[in-house]
């Protein structure tokens, strides 16, 4: 090749190499910062042995720590206030956690030659009170606002909601005794537009309870279709009330449901979900378009105005790291970081 072409080629190769090296250094620095932040986060946490009152806080949350080190998988208590957040370390280790009105549920994996799964009920002193055996890996967990019931979803086959190739089991248990109220929601009758609705491939997941605990909402999946169902525990029945709803979460005022909606998938099969809020009285939807990332979670309501959810933390050195974010439920503001190294956030309500 002529000398000038050879020089140009060498320059381009050099620039590409420098750019790649610069990007690699940038990623390494971000991961190094996250790796040093995780021990600092853990060191700042103080042990806590009971959930008492916390004057001066604006919100309190339990969450599963995803920080590398001694706190990984442990349940933490975050107390948010004007000066920031205080993080406290509880005795619990959970895959999913939720708590309401003095009663909590902790979904655990007992790993070994054969991994087994349990739901452990606990009280405000973090004492484990009851045990309920689970049929597969934990996916979702909720305690009713009055603390009477706990619902949990597990995968019996498959490990994600990105396609129809999975089977779930959703159970409801008495949070006091640990006995099953409903072993599997598939035993309930379902109607759609007033007519019986049934298919062999029905799956249910993501229970969210109303104030009275007897009424609940959940996702019904049938192949690629998703429906919002409203259920009556005493009558053992459900009815379809809306289409294209996954992982519903009922607002504290019981008027709205935040949920994720599947918008499609790319050539690699990766599914895109986006967040919405449904007004139950008017059936009006609000797309929360300021959150452009892929939220694969059952969100929690921080209060009547904001929701909270977990997202993978790309800046962390561990692929398992997540952080929790808050987002205005009316779509009026950008998402804001809430808790670092946090998964399965559960808001404690007075």
């Amino acid at each position: 090749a002529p000398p000038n072409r050879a020089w140009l080629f060498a320059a381009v190769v050099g620039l590409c190499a420098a750019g790649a090296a610069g990007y690699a250094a940038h990623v390494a620095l971000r991961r190094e910062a996250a790796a040093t932040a995780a021990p600092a986060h853990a060191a700042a946490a103080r042990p806590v042995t009971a959930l008492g009152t916390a004057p001066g806080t604006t919100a309190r949350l339990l969450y599963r720590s995803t920080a590398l080190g001694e706190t990984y998988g442990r349940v933490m208590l975050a107390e948010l206030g004007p000066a920031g957040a205080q993080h406290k370390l509880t005795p619990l280790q959970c895959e999913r956690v939720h708590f309401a009105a003095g009663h909590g549920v902790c979904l655990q994996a007992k790993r070994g030659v054969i991994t087994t799964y349990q739901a452990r009920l606990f009280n405000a002193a973090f004492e484990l009170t009851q045990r309920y055996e689970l049929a597969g890996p934990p996916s979702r967990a909720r305690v009713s606002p009055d603390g009477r019931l706990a619902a949990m979803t597990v995968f019996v086959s498959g490990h994600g909601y990105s396609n129809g190739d999975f089977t779930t089991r959703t159970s409801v248990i008495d949070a006091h005794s640990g006995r099953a109220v409903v072993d599997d929601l598939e035993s309930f009758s379902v109607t759609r537009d007033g007519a019986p609705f049934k298919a062999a491939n029905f799956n249910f997941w993501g229970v969210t309870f109303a104030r009275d605990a007897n009424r609940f909402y959940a996702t019904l999946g049938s192949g690629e279709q998703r429906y919002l169902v409203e259920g009556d525990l005493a009558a053992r029945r459900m009815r379809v009330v809306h289409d294209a709803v996954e992982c519903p979460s009922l607002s504290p005022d019981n008027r709205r449901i935040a949920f994720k909606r599947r918008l499609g998938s790319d050539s690699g099969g990766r599914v895109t979900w986006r967040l919405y809020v449904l007004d139950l009285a008017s059936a009006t939807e609000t797309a929360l378009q300021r959150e452009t990332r892929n939220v694969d979670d059952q969100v929690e309501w921080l209060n009547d105005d904001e929701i909270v959810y977990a997202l993978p933390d790309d800046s962390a050195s561990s692929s398992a790291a997540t952080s929790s974010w808050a987002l205005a439920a009316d779509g009026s503001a950008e998402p804001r970081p809430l808790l670092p190294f946090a998964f399965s956030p559960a808001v404690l309500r007075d």
Side-chain angles (χ1 to χ4, degrees), residues 5-334:
R5 288 191 179 182
W7 179 88
L8 181 61
F9 177 75
V12 170
V13 170
L15 285 172
C16 290
Y23 176 75
H26 171 69
V27 171
L29 285 172
R30 290 181 68 191
R31 289 187 173 178
E32 182 181 356
T36 56
H41 173 69
R46 294 180 294 142
V48 61
T49 57
L51 287 170
T53 59
T57 61
T58 56
R60 294 191 299 159
L61 300 91
L62 291 176
Y63 67 91
R64 179 181 187 266
S65 171
T66 60
L68 291 178
E70 63 184 36
T71 66
Y72 182 81
R74 296 283 294 274
V75 174
M76 310 279 284
L77 169 65
E79 296 178 341
L80 310 185
Q86 290 189 352
H87 300 268
K88 298 179 180 179
L89 184 63
T90 82
L92 301 178
Q93 187 155 357
C94 310
E95 303 294 312
R96 282 271 181 181
V97 65
H98 202 259
F99 188 92
H103 295 272
V105 61
C106 168
L107 305 190
Q108 296 180 331
K110 301 293 184 181
R111 293 181 172 84
V113 177
I114 298 176
T115 301
T116 59
Y117 306 95
Q118 294 178 343
R120 298 299 304 268
L121 300 173
F122 64 94
N123 59 25
F126 301 111
E127 297 168 331
L128 298 174
T129 57
Q130 303 291 341
R131 177 189 294 112
Y132 184 82
E133 300 299 324
L134 300 175
S139 171
R140 307 288 183 232
R142 279 293 190 272
V143 176
S144 61
D146 61 5
R148 287 175 43 217
L149 302 173
M152 63 282 301
T153 298
V154 302
F155 288 110
V156 178
S157 66
H159 61 276
Y161 300 106
S162 60
N163 55 49
D165 189 22
F166 64 88
T167 304
T168 61
R169 176 176 293 176
T170 295
S171 308
V172 180
I173 63 177
D174 186 297
H176 298 256
S177 68
R179 291 191 294 268
V181 176
V182 179
D183 186 55
D184 191 341
L185 278 186
E186 289 191 34
S187 63
F188 280 30
S189 64
V190 183
T191 59
R192 185 185 183 197
D193 298 328
F197 187 41
K198 182 68 177 174
N201 64 352
F202 273 9
N203 282 294
F204 299 90
W205 66 91
V207 166
T208 181
F209 290 100
R211 288 196 191 104
D212 63 7
N214 181 65
R215 185 166 59 94
F216 67 92
Y217 295 88
T219 299
L220 161 59
S222 180
E224 297 297 319
Q225 303 301 313
R226 305 288 186 263
Y227 306 95
L228 175 67
V229 292
E230 182 183 29
D232 183 320
L233 281 172
R236 300 182 69 84
R237 65 186 178 214
M238 293 177 279
R239 65 184 184 95
V240 174
V241 295
H242 206 75
D243 293 344
V245 171
E246 281 189 70
C247 297
S249 180
L250 187 60
S251 60
D253 60 16
N254 279 212
R255 295 169 48 204
R256 293 154 294 159
I257 281 182
F259 65 95
K260 67 176 188 178
R261 169 168 292 160
R262 177 175 174 162
L263 298 187
S265 57
D266 61 19
S267 58
R270 291 179 292 271
V271 174
T272 298
W273 283 287
R274 290 292 182 266
L275 294 176
Y276 289 77
V277 170
L278 172 69
D279 183 276
L280 289 169
S282 66
T284 302
E285 295 181 0
T286 300
L288 306 186
Q289 297 178 342
R290 292 178 183 262
E291 177 54 89
T292 59
R293 294 165 295 183
N294 196 31
V295 180
D296 180 13
D297 197 10
Q298 183 177 15
V299 308
E300 173 82 311
W301 287 79
L302 185 61
N303 46 52
D304 279 327
D305 301 316
E306 286 186 298
I307 58 174
V308 58
Y309 49 91
L311 283 172
D313 192 337
D314 295 332
S315 68
S317 56
S318 168
S319 60
T322 60
S323 293
S324 289
W325 294 72
L327 180 66
D330 62 0
S332 63
E334 298 293 327

